[in-house]
């Protein structure tokens, strides 16, 4: 039974089900459509047009055709459109949250957090769009003025994942529009509705035709490959898994494209010996269960000092066992389903392997017997140090706890993975905080708290977690070229 039919109607009404190319909404030439499934019920919610190579090429034409006009549009006008888009998302926040919950599964309150986060990329970059770019200097010899001019990089391809279907679109579109770039957006096949709703918002905000084009697809490469091969494309920004990111980087090489890569994570959550356990537990629950555990910056592996490990694991298990699991549209639900049967299979396999290797299941450890792709919130204690679950991105509500003895040991173990997106540390020792900021091989460090994502902050990773940053002034840099003009004095 649908827990909230009125909200479902309002939510689905916000998302067009056609492709948005060159300012027109329409079906794919092939007539193909893509079913969107509600992971809480396994029922088909709706079908959207599924683009192919022809639509990829048409969207590229539209983005290239609109590029000069948009680059020449006054920054104030670009800012006003972004600001209107922020206002429209904010007005529709509840229904947009419903849309995220319907197609992706995270609980409504969590989805509302994503809507606010997503909207902020439009507001923050509307404010940044008018901040004048560039600098002047004098050559050390005194014979030359050095001027820099900032130009939009040009048409971009955006490929986004299913776990933050609204925010991953606005985190790219906001700075791109502020800088004067146009784009083709290929949202994740599992969750195209939120991206289509963003298209509708931008249209209503007055964005000229062709500046943003939204092309869902069943086969992602069918759309992305012709766009990547087009010599007019100047930039690729991708958020998703490391293997797909690596393949897209190879496809971007012939065109020597600017690239931003927001890839996988395997965040260490380190509880040092002096940590306040209550603070650490609250941070752990937030960092593990946000977005049903399907967040690239989710706490992955809990390294707890041996003096606290048993206590921490037992108390974390109590909190996980008390979480209300269900359809995210139901009031009070704290954890929804995983996005797909496939995703659940991967999570279950990691838990089963850890259990077989000797880990203790303190709570959860199985899929509940009900429709939907649910997996119980799970805490694993005494996980052997060589278990794959400690060094693999879990992407589900599973917290493996392993103990450590010394700071050197835990930093070495945390840095042994080839991913480096986020890291969480719990301590009140400022020397230790500074040491972790220097030595933990991650792009973001959260201290005594859960996720620290913010539109004004640079989000991104090191090592195989990616290239470039999204958010903050750094996020705008990704969309600007620097042109040097030398003027004899
Ligand atoms: P994914 O890599 O499977 O898919 C991401 C996007 O790429 C989707 O739009 C998908 O349709 C598309 N895609 C897949 N194969 C493709 C191909 N061969 N050519 C072109 N496009 C292709 O990732 P996912 O499962 O959607 O998302 C989960 C992953 O994303 C996790 O690894 C997570 O850590 C990562 N992620 C990273 C960040 C970040 O900011 N670093 C944020 C969110 C998610």
């Amino acid at each position: 039974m649908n827990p909230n039919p009125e909200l479902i109607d309002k939510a689905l009404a916000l998302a067009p089900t056609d492709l948005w190319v060159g300012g027109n909404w329409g079906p794919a030439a092939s007539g193909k459509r893509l079913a969107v499934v509600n992971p809480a019920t396994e029922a088909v919610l709706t079908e959207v047009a599924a683009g192919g190579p022809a639509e990829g090429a048409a969207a590229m034409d539209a983005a290239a055709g609109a590029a000069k006009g948009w680059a020449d549009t006054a920054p104030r006008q670009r800012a006003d459109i972004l600001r209107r888009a922020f206002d429209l998302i904010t007005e529709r926040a509840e229904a947009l949250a419903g849309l995220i919950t319907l197609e992706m599964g995270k609980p409504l309150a969590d989805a509302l957090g994503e809507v606010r986060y997503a909207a902020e990329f439009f507001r923050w970059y509307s404010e940044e769009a008018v901040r004048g770019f560039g600098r002047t200097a004098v050559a050390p010899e005194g014979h030359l003025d050095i001027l820099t001019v900032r130009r939009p990089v040009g048409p971009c391809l955006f490929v986004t994942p299913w776990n933050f279907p609204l925010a991953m679109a606005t985190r790219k579109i906001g700075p791109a529009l502020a800088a004067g770039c146009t784009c083709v957006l290929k949202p994740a096949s599992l969750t195209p509705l939120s991206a289509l709703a963003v298209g509708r918002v931008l249209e209503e905000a007055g964005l000229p035709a062709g500046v943003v084009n939204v092309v869902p697809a069943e086969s992602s490469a069918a759309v992305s490959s012709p766009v990547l091969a087009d010599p007019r494309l100047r930039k690729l920004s991708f958020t998703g898994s490391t293997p797909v990111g690596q393949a897209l980087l190879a496809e971007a090489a012939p065109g020597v494209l600017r690239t931003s890569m927001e890839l996988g994570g395997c965040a260490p959550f380190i509880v040092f010996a002096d940590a306040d356990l209550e603070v650490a537990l609250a941070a752990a629950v937030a960092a593990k269960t946000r977005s049903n555990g399907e967040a690239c910056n989710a706490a992955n592996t809990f390294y707890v000092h041996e003096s606290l490990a048993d206590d921490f694991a037992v108390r974390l298990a109590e909190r996980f066992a008390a979480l209300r699991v269900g359809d995210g549209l139901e009031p009070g639900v704290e954890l929804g389903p995983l996005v797909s049967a496939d995703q659940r299979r991967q999570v279950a396999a990691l838990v089963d392997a850890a259990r077989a290797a000797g880990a203790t299941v303190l709570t959860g450890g199985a899929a509940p017997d009900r429709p939907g792709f649910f997996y119980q919130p799970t805490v694993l204690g005494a996980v052997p140090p060589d278990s794959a679950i400690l060094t693999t991105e879990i992407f589900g509500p599973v917290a493996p706890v392993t103990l450590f003895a010394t700071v050197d040991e835990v930093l070495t173990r945390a840095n042994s993975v080839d991913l480096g997106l986020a890291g969480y540390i719990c301590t009140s020792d400022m020397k230790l905080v500074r040491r972790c900021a220097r030595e933990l091989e991650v792009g973001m460090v959260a201290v005594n708290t859960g996720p620290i994502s913010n539109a004004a902050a640079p989000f991104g990773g090191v090592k195989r977690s990616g290239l470039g940053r999204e958010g903050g002034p750094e996020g705008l840099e990704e969309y600007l070229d620097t042109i040097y003009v030398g003027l004899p004095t």
Side-chain angles (χ1 to χ4, degrees):
M1 203 190 79
N2 286 333
N4 199 337
E6 211 177 299
L7 180 63
I8 294 176
D9 289 346
K10 269 203 223 161
L12 291 176
L14 291 182
T17 53
D18 277 329
L19 312 173
W20 194 40
V21 176
N24 300 310
W25 295 96
S30 65
K32 273 195 187 154
R33 299 189 76 77
L34 174 68
V36 185
V37 171
N38 179 348
T41 61
E42 303 181 37
V44 173
L45 281 167
T46 184
E47 289 186 347
V48 303
E55 287 73 27
M60 182 64 229
D61 279 347
K68 174 140 184 18
W70 184 244
D72 290 346
T73 299
R76 176 61 71 201
Q77 260 176 282
R78 298 204 297 257
D80 285 348
I81 290 171
L82 278 170
R83 177 64 204 218
R84 278 199 292 278
F86 164 80
D87 290 337
L88 285 168
I89 292 181
T90 305
E91 278 164 26
R92 295 170 191 178
E94 203 200 334
L96 280 170
L99 196 60
I100 293 172
T101 300
L102 280 171
E103 66 174 346
M104 184 275 165
K106 70 180 72 172
L108 212 45
D110 199 355
L112 199 55
E114 178 178 344
V115 174
R116 305 239 180 266
Y117 177 56
E120 195 55 31
F121 286 99
F122 284 172
R123 178 161 66 173
W124 204 85
Y125 283 108
S126 79
E127 291 159 349
E128 205 68 357
V130 292
R131 295 288 161 251
F133 315 115
R135 68 181 175 97
T136 63
V138 179
E141 299 83 354
H143 67 302
L144 207 57
D145 278 343
I146 296 169
L147 311 183
T148 64
V149 176
R150 311 306 306 279
R151 288 206 301 237
V153 298
C156 308
L157 170 64
F158 297 155
V159 180
T160 51
W162 47 260
N163 59 349
F164 288 85
L166 192 71
M168 293 306 98
T170 62
R171 197 161 84 170
K172 299 184 191 307
I173 295 172
L177 294 187
C181 296
T182 60
C183 70
V184 176
L185 166 63
K186 207 300 292 169
S189 320
L190 290 172
T191 58
L193 298 176
S194 302
L196 291 164
V198 171
R200 172 56 53 79
V201 160
L202 289 167
E203 181 183 41
E204 287 179 35
L207 191 72
V211 173
V212 173
N213 305 274
V214 185
V215 188
E218 195 162 22
S219 156
S220 302
V223 168
S224 63
S225 290
V227 177
L228 283 166
D230 192 303
R232 296 168 298 178
L233 188 75
R234 294 309 324 136
K235 179 175 171 81
L236 163 67
S237 178
F238 170 75
T239 299
S241 60
T242 296
V244 175
Q246 287 164 327
L248 289 176
L249 273 173
E251 272 195 83
V256 193
L257 298 180
R258 293 269 303 257
T259 55
S260 301
M261 293 277 143
E262 298 286 349
L263 308 178
C266 184
F269 187 108
I270 307 175
V271 183
F272 288 105
D274 73 317
D276 178 325
L277 216 48
E278 276 302 309
V279 170
L281 285 162
V285 173
K288 186 75 242 183
T289 62
R290 178 167 159 264
S291 201
N292 299 336
E294 297 163 311
C296 53
N297 56 349
N300 198 79
T301 309
F302 291 80
Y303 297 97
V304 186
H305 188 262
E306 59 190 6
S307 62
L308 302 171
D310 287 346
D311 203 10
F312 178 87
V314 168
R315 288 167 68 180
L316 188 64
E318 282 165 12
R319 292 189 187 214
F320 268 43
L323 289 172
R324 189 158 163 228
V325 179
D327 185 329
L329 291 180
E330 280 172 33
V333 162
E334 294 163 296
L335 199 77
L338 296 177
V339 75
S340 64
D342 219 26
Q343 188 66 26
R344 181 170 61 182
R345 249 192 310 277
Q346 289 174 35
V347 170
L350 280 169
V351 172
D352 293 346
R355 192 184 346 223
T360 315
V361 178
L362 296 172
T363 186
D369 183 18
R370 57 173 292 171
F373 309 122
F374 291 91
Y375 195 82
Q376 291 168 342
T378 298
V379 176
L380 302 175
V383 182
D386 56 353
S387 291
I389 200 166
L390 300 179
T391 51
T392 310
E393 186 176 38
I394 301 170
F395 242 53
V398 177
V401 179
T402 181
L403 54 83
F404 71 90
T406 68
V407 174
D408 284 345
E409 177 204 332
V410 74
L411 290 179
T412 303
R413 285 175 66 191
N415 288 340
S416 70
V417 291
D418 55 16
L419 299 169
L421 191 60
Y424 299 83
I425 58 173
C426 296
T427 177
S428 48
D429 177 347
M430 283 312 290
K431 271 195 175 159
L432 202 45
V433 171
R434 280 200 292 274
R435 180 166 175 201
C436 290
R438 281 195 308 272
E439 294 183 27
L440 207 51
E441 294 171 358
V442 295
M444 300 172 279
V445 180
V447 183
N448 295 323
T449 187
I452 51 173
S453 305
N454 190 287
F459 190 106
V462 299
K463 302 204 283 191
R464 292 187 192 177
S465 285
L467 298 167
R469 293 293 180 269
E470 290 188 322
E474 294 84 355
L476 194 63
E477 287 298 316
E478 306 273 330
Y479 294 95
L480 291 168
D481 278 333
T482 300
I483 311 303
Y484 159 45
V485 181
L487 285 179
T489 47

